[in-house]
Amino acid sequence: MTRDLQGKETSSDPPLWTADFRLFFTARTTSLLGDAMLPVAITAAVIRAGYGASGVGYALAALVAPFAALIIFGGVMSDRFGARRLMVVSDAARFYSQGVLALLFLLGMPQLWQILVLLALIGAGSAIFQPGVASITPLIAQDVQKANATLRISESVTVVIGPSLAGLLLAISSPAAVVALDALTYAASGACLLLIRSVPMGPAERHSESSFRADLVEGWQEFRARTWLWSVIVVFMLWQLAGAGPAMTLGNSTLVTDHGASVFGLVMSSLGAGSVLGGLIAIRLRPRYPLRAGALSMPLWALMPLGVALDLPAPLIAGCYGVSGVGMAFWIVLFHTSVQTHIPQDVLGRVHAYDAAGSLVMKPVGQAVAGPLALVAGAVPLLYVSTSMALVACALLLAIPAVRGLKSVERQELSSNVAPKSGAMRR
């Protein structure tokens, strides 16, 4: 607290809910809601079209694969042409692609290839959109950590509400109608982004003209030059392979098989509620060493696979998932804030894209191999491996000096420092 000229106490914290942040928050929330509803709507629509479980698998893969393959290029485009501009273009492209998909389902039974092509376009649009989130957040909020925590809370809520809302709408309407309604969430997001005034449509000031390939290489060099950043990604590749894979694939399937779909829904809602709580904690708690504090929350992640492996009663498993959600959200907020406050604005989109791609690349591998390995070793032993990997990831991160020693920094401090290429902010 500080005092004004009249001696009254005033808050020294910068305001978060400015007009532009409200618009950005609405855009991000509606876009996330659409992302959460889409897999449910597509699953129902593809099954109704007669393509069965294999068709659903192809459809979901067509949605995810372009995102993973193109997000690095999306980061380059975001830095070259402007994050807000690319996000608006992405929302428009996803709105039109999904609108056409809804129309095809409404008119009859579309060919599977038509569904896959349109879903691939939606996934590509998401790859263009995502890097802009990291680039715009530090421009639109003076308190970057509070902004990230607030956005994380919103994401957690949409992850819980989105599938449930899609399921409810499917019960009273057709899949085509739900796909069409889902498309409108992208239109709402784009409209909000257009109304933002504090972030220019164009890119950050560039020191010189360069080619697309040169920008791609520069983003990689900026990413590689920061030991704390690439070290985190390497550890998370290991976690996604041996930790998250068994935890999600085997944990989810075991819950459905042993306890039923209703219990599974309760457990996932508890995970979402825990993530909301983790975001609220991240708003209040400001550690001097954010990645060290985030790493110390990782043992909480172990409770999620451990509860299933021990075959605890359903309410206790839900509690384990809730506590894990707290730790996951806390880590995500602190890590994203560290990236957004330590990386220069003109390369932030590209660096975030490399970060996101590295974090995701082993996720489908871990999920895919968990099932076949469970047939050989058993689901419970693999869930114990997942439990131990949360502790291993924590230990590895704390063992890296650049990670545990990274200090928090305000965005204003970064902008007043020396040029990005000097290496002064790298470690």
Side-chain angles (χ1 to χ4, degrees):
M1 301 291 287
T2 59
R3 293 182 181 273
D4 60 18
L5 294 177
Q6 287 73 39
K8 297 179 181 179
E9 287 188 346
T10 59
S11 175
S12 59
D13 294 334
L16 176 65
W17 292 99
T18 61
D20 279 352
F21 184 78
R22 286 196 295 269
L23 287 169
F24 184 64
F25 177 84
T26 302
R28 184 65 178 140
T29 301
T30 53
S31 180
L32 287 169
L33 184 63
D35 291 342
M37 292 173 60
L38 185 57
V40 178
I42 290 301
T43 298
V46 170
I47 290 177
R48 180 169 292 192
Y51 296 112
S54 60
V56 171
Y58 294 141
L60 296 180
L63 186 63
V64 174
F67 178 85
L70 298 176
I71 188 171
I72 292 177
F73 301 99
V76 175
M77 294 173 66
S78 179
D79 287 338
R80 286 181 70 87
F81 303 114
R84 187 160 72 101
R85 177 183 295 164
L86 265 293
M87 292 172 79
V88 171
V89 169
S90 168
D91 279 332
R94 290 185 290 178
F95 167 70
Y96 286 117
S97 298
Q98 200 158 318
V100 171
L101 185 60
L103 183 61
L104 289 177
F105 282 125
L106 182 64
L107 294 178
M109 299 298 179
Q111 297 294 314
L112 182 59
W113 70 266
Q114 295 174 317
I115 299 173
L116 299 183
V117 168
L118 289 169
L119 289 176
L121 291 175
I122 295 170
S126 298
I128 295 174
F129 185 95
Q130 182 59 38
V133 176
S135 297
I136 286 184
T137 300
L139 292 177
I140 214 164
Q142 295 184 53
D143 191 331
V144 180
Q145 181 171 326
K146 183 182 290 186
N148 277 316
T150 303
L151 293 171
R152 181 60 188 174
I153 292 171
S154 169
E155 181 177 353
S156 301
V157 171
T158 58
V159 167
V160 175
I161 293 178
S164 301
L165 178 59
L168 177 62
L169 293 173
L170 286 170
I172 61 177
S173 62
S174 67
V178 179
V179 173
L181 180 62
D182 189 16
L184 293 178
T185 64
Y186 298 118
S189 172
C192 290
L193 290 169
L194 280 173
L195 294 173
I196 291 175
R197 291 291 175 262
S198 61
V199 180
M201 274 289 191
E205 183 179 351
R206 300 170 65 89
H207 299 284
S208 62
E209 293 297 324
S210 58
S211 66
F212 191 94
R213 180 181 179 278
D215 282 353
L216 195 66
V217 172
E218 182 186 21
W220 170 251
Q221 291 173 340
E222 292 286 338
F223 172 82
R224 189 182 62 180
R226 292 166 172 83
T227 303
W228 64 268
L229 181 55
W230 64 258
S231 297
V232 168
I233 301 308
V234 170
V235 171
F236 263 74
M237 290 173 68
L238 178 62
W239 159 252
Q240 293 283 16
L241 179 65
M248 299 304 293
T249 302
L250 302 179
N252 292 355
S253 60
T254 300
L255 283 171
V256 173
T257 302
D258 295 350
H259 299 277
S262 60
V263 169
F264 176 66
L266 171 66
V267 168
M268 297 310 292
S269 296
S270 178
L271 179 65
S275 296
V276 171
L277 180 58
L280 292 172
I281 293 173
I283 289 177
R284 304 299 302 174
L285 192 61
R286 304 302 183 98
R288 184 181 182 186
Y289 299 96
L291 296 186
R292 183 188 304 181
L296 290 172
S297 74
M298 287 184 181
L300 300 179
W301 303 10
L303 295 177
M304 186 168 66
L306 182 62
V308 180
L310 295 175
D311 195 22
L312 298 176
L316 291 181
I317 293 178
C320 288
Y321 270 64
V323 174
S324 293
V326 173
M328 290 178 179
F330 186 70
W331 162 263
I332 288 172
V333 170
L334 295 185
F335 176 68
H336 284 177
T337 301
S338 297
V339 172
Q340 292 164 1
T341 54
H342 283 81
I343 305 300
Q345 187 67 38
D346 62 339
V347 294
L348 181 54
R350 281 166 283 172
V351 173
H352 172 69
Y354 278 108
D355 146 35
S359 299
L360 292 173
V361 68
M362 299 307 295
K363 183 175 183 178
V365 178
Q367 291 174 328
V369 302
L373 285 176
L375 295 176
V376 178
V380 171
L382 288 182
L383 287 171
Y384 282 127
V385 171
S386 177
T387 299
S388 65
M389 283 309 304
L391 305 179
V392 170
C394 172
L396 288 175
L397 291 178
L398 292 177
I400 301 170
V403 173
R404 69 171 185 267
L406 187 76
K407 294 182 179 180
S408 63
V409 61
E410 295 297 328
R411 188 68 187 175
Q412 294 89 334
E413 295 177 37
L414 177 63
S415 61
S416 64
N417 266 304
V418 292
K421 306 276 188 315
S422 68
M425 297 302 293
R426 301 177 188 179
R427 188 172 181 181

